[in-house]
Amino acid sequence: MKSRRSYINIIYEGKDITGELSPYLKGLSYTDNLDKGDSVTLSLTGDKWIKEWAILKGDKLKVEIGVINWRNEGDNRVLKCGTFTIDDLSFSGTPDTMNISGTSIDITKNLKGVKKDNTWENVSLKEIAQEISKTYSMDLFYDCTEEFTFDKVDQMKESDSSLLARISKEQGMAIKITMDKIIIFDEKTYEDKETVITFNKSNLMRYDLQCDDLEVYDGCELTFYDPILGEYLKGKYEAPASEFYKVKTGKILYQNIDTGVTGTTKEEKEKFLNERAKKILRNMNKNETKIKISHMGDPEYLAGITTKILGFGRYDGVYLITSVTHDINKGYNCSLDMRRRLDF
């Protein structure tokens, strides 16, 4: 079999500079996240980067990671990491080293950095996202099966990206912002997909498994005042017993909600509230069991993919990849953060 190898391609401000950087490239790290912007860091040797080649914040980088004969002969693949805006530069020595960091969110736009005051009335989450995406000439991918309507949403000294993240999370949804796209989605849709990768404890370079109960609840109860019916409505959901607890903790998450409720009768509206309570509880409990592993790198390791974890006894199961860091530095390795799929 021919020897396998990995490589990178770097486009800087529209120009392929891979060949020029190669003699100075110490390493590259690319992180793909499920529910926040991605990032990349290049480490370069020498001091030309602060002399004849002045790299500036706000400049654009496009990065690709490729493999040749990786798992077997002829297994040639490319991971298109995307376009990044340089947002951090650091220089250290000796020896001289420049670290260039970029984010998938365009810092030259005001989406993330400028704090605003605004009030939204009789509006849905999708409508707010549509207006904000239009303001910044971005595409919106709204991957949710239901609408979330609000009587009123206050934006006080808050950036548009923070506003969207806050109200999406409050409804049990997730959000990711890239260079030219806003994505709002239901993480359960990704958790329920068929697994495509299996990791066994015996094949891992390193692992760290945690079972956390700080933000884990047995149930969720919601209260909503319905002005049409003229009364308070309640919704609740109780999580199935966890195999990781001897007895239930008794912790209940109580919330008053002001979003619109679907339905005309009391029964229909309370059914809706029960489903909303389930979504909110899932969002709170989703990180109950987490694992971080290190493995030989591969372009197929991406956030949002479900995997099987084996060799950990009762902690075996289906896990959702929430973050992957691809490191190329005298080799190609990946560090993956995952959480175990809930039973509800």
Side-chain angles (χ1 to χ4, degrees), residues 2 5 43 104-105 122 141 143 145 177 249-250 263 286 339:
K2 295 180 180 179
R5 67 181 181 89
S43 182
S104 62
I105 301 175
N122 300 317
F141 181 51
D143 192 16
T145 57
I177 299 175
T249 65
K286 64 185 180 183
R339 67 167 185 260

Side-chain angles (χ1 to χ4, degrees), residues 58-110:
D59 286 349
K60 299 293 193 300
L61 282 176
K62 184 179 290 187
V63 177
E64 296 178 346
I65 297 175
V67 294
I68 296 176
N69 301 319
W70 199 242
R71 293 186 180 274
N72 48 64
E73 191 169 332
D75 178 22
N76 307 326
R77 288 171 286 140
V78 175
L79 171 59
K80 296 182 182 295
C81 306
T83 301
F84 303 86
T85 305
I86 296 175
D87 66 343
D88 187 73
L89 299 167
S90 63
F91 189 66
S92 62
T94 57
D96 294 332
T97 302
M98 168 72 88
N99 287 321
I100 304 169
S101 297
T103 174
S104 62
I105 301 175
D106 192 345
I107 64 170
T108 62
K109 297 179 179 179
N110 295 329

Side-chain angles (χ1 to χ4, degrees), residues 103-153:
T103 174
S104 62
I105 301 175
D106 192 345
I107 64 170
T108 62
K109 297 179 179 179
N110 295 329
L111 176 65
K112 185 178 180 181
V114 177
K115 300 185 186 304
K116 300 180 179 180
D117 293 316
N118 201 354
T119 298
W120 312 73
E121 294 183 341
N122 300 317
V123 68
S124 69
L125 170 60
K126 185 176 182 179
E127 288 171 336
I128 294 176
Q130 285 174 330
E131 185 170 332
I132 290 176
S133 61
K134 184 178 180 180
T135 298
Y136 300 102
S137 300
M138 302 174 72
D139 294 327
L140 173 66
F141 181 51
Y142 188 82
D143 192 16
C144 305
T145 57
E146 63 179 288
E147 290 283 357
F148 303 96
T149 58
F150 308 90
D151 293 332
K152 184 179 180 181
V153 175

Side-chain angles (χ1 to χ4, degrees), residues 17-45:
I17 61 170
T18 307
E20 296 174 71
L21 285 190
S22 292
Y24 308 96
L25 186 62
K26 188 176 179 181
L28 177 142
S29 178
Y30 159 63
T31 300
D32 175 35
N33 295 305
L34 177 66
D35 58 357
K36 59 182 178 180
D38 302 332
S39 63
V40 68
T41 298
L42 281 74
S43 182
L44 304 172
T45 60

